[in-house]
Amino acid sequence: MPAAPPTPAAPSVHRRALITWLAVYPTITVALGLLGPATATMPLPLRTLILTAVVVPVSAYVLIPALFKANARLGALRRAGGGSPEWHRDQ
């Protein structure tokens, strides 16, 4: 029976926080830009509810998994020796 490939270690808590921020910040910015004028006269709790109803699912189900997948691919490339940026190889 062939051995299973090693499972890469989970990203550190700091990398997970950065990945989450990279998903959430632009999503909030775009959502505020698109929804802001339409919700400007609504009470703040209702605006927040609408904003989070859009941002949380988009971030949790689309963007964060995609960024984690990209992070894993980048880590695999670096482990294979082919993913370091040019400026990093000189150091």
Side-chain angles (χ1 to χ4, degrees):
M1 179 181 285
T7 304
S12 71
V13 67
H14 305 297
R15 181 154 307 196
R16 290 192 312 263
L18 176 64
I19 288 170
T20 301
W21 182 84
L22 287 172
V24 171
Y25 176 77
T27 307
I28 289 172
T29 303
V30 169
L32 278 173
L34 295 174
L35 298 173
T39 61
T41 60
M42 296 177 183
L44 181 60
L46 182 58
R47 286 187 291 169
T48 305
L49 178 66
I50 293 169
L51 180 70
T52 58
V54 172
V55 170
V56 171
V58 168
S59 295
Y61 296 117
V62 179
L63 298 175
I64 293 172
L67 288 170
F68 270 107
K69 215 177 271 190
N71 180 65
R73 281 193 300 261
L74 180 60
L77 279 173
R78 286 191 174 169
R79 283 188 298 279
S84 296
E86 290 299 322
W87 57 268
H88 189 265
R89 289 184 184 148
D90 295 336
Q91 295 178 355

